Amino acid sequence: MKIEHHSAWELDPTASITPQITRILRERIIQSDLKPGDRISESELAKSYGVSRQPVREAFIKLADQGLLEVRPQRGTIVTRIGYFAVLDARFLREAIEADIAKIVASDPDPAVVAELRHQLARQQALKGNDAAAFTRLDEQFHRTLAEAAGKSGAWRQIEGLKSQMDRVRYLSLAEFRIDALIAQHREVVDRIEAGDVPGANAAIRLHLREVLNDLPQIIAANTQFFDLPDGETPEPVNAPIQGGPNE
């Protein structure tokens, strides 16, 4: 297992260790720095960070619960493949929750929230090239800000645990498709919120979160070894109707 220590994956000795190691490993898996089938050593990781094995073990358990790691007693821990059904389920649940979040925020737009979202859009637009890692962090911040503005921080924490497999697909898609299109979709969400357009905000966030479905066949074809695919034909995703837009 290779150990990386660039700035985003360094430990802050003043903060709790287990959440940091969990975040670092989660990001490395999502960003394909750790790939499906890679083995991760609890003892090597603990030694690398100068910590005991207990926080590493706890991080492994959390990531196994998210479907990112498979802990095999006496045989080691490996990075899992991306579960096809897990991606569809996580995307469906995320859309259901975030569509309501967008409606709540648009029903009573807060100028301070809109200003913050506009600031985040500017930061996204300022990214140089197709910087997938940087955009992933800004994208996470954007969606978390919407949840917090709706008073649904707890719901967002639930989403974070569920959407890990979807995040892996989203990251792979950023290597194949332009980030500009996703930023434009973010801007449309903010425009609809600022206008107090509840149906429009609902439609905009749903279309944005369905983008991954459009990309999925090409992503799988380019990264077949990353996926745990069902036998036979892949099922069509089930989606709710979009207010003011097509039922895609």
Side-chain angles (χ1 to χ4, degrees), residues 20 35 129 185 209 234:
Q20 292 185 79
K35 296 177 173 57
Q185 291 169 3
L209 292 172
T234 55

Side-chain angles (χ1 to χ4, degrees), residues 166-235:
M166 180 181 172
D167 286 346
R168 296 171 80 181
V169 174
R170 288 293 297 272
Y171 191 86
L172 290 172
S173 77
L174 295 177
E176 303 288 334
F177 305 98
R178 289 189 60 81
I179 288 173
D180 287 351
L182 298 177
I183 298 173
Q185 291 169 3
H186 283 171
R187 184 172 291 108
E188 179 66 15
V189 171
V190 177
D191 288 347
R192 295 304 97 215
I193 287 172
E194 186 174 30
D197 180 358
V198 174
N202 174 285
I205 198 73
R206 286 185 184 275
L207 285 170
H208 174 57
L209 292 172
R210 291 180 189 185
E211 188 70 24
V212 70
L213 297 178
N214 298 328
D215 301 341
L216 192 54
Q218 291 171 263
I219 297 166
I220 292 174
N223 303 276
T224 306
Q225 73 279 11
F226 278 45
F227 287 84
D228 181 12
L229 298 172
D231 294 331
E233 294 184 2
T234 55

Side-chain angles (χ1 to χ4, degrees), residues 43 46 57 77 91 94 110 127 142 144 180 195-196 220 222 225 229 242:
S43 59
R57 185 176 301 116
T77 299
R91 196 219 57 80
R94 184 173 177 185
D110 183 338
L127 289 175
F142 180 85
R144 184 174 61 251
D180 287 351
I220 292 174
Q225 73 279 11
L229 298 172
I242 295 178

Side-chain angles (χ1 to χ4, degrees), residues 1 7 9 19 24 45 58-59 78 88 92 108 118 122 131 138 154-156 183 213 217 225 232 245:
M1 177 190 68
S7 59
W9 294 336
I24 290 167
L45 198 64
E58 291 173 0
I78 65 168
L88 295 187
F92 179 82
D108 185 19
R118 295 282 184 205
D131 189 338
L138 293 175
W156 179 254
I183 298 173
L213 297 178
Q225 73 279 11

Side-chain angles (χ1 to χ4, degrees), residues 87-128:
V87 172
L88 295 187
D89 288 346
R91 196 219 57 80
F92 179 82
L93 289 169
R94 184 173 177 185
E95 179 185 325
I97 293 170
E98 291 200 56
D100 276 353
I101 284 172
K103 289 193 290 184
I104 291 169
V105 179
S107 66
D108 185 19
D110 183 338
V113 171
V114 172
E116 170 59 23
L117 292 170
R118 295 282 184 205
H119 174 67
Q120 291 181 24
L121 287 172
R123 290 182 63 199
Q124 293 171 23
Q125 198 68 60
L127 289 175
K128 302 298 183 183

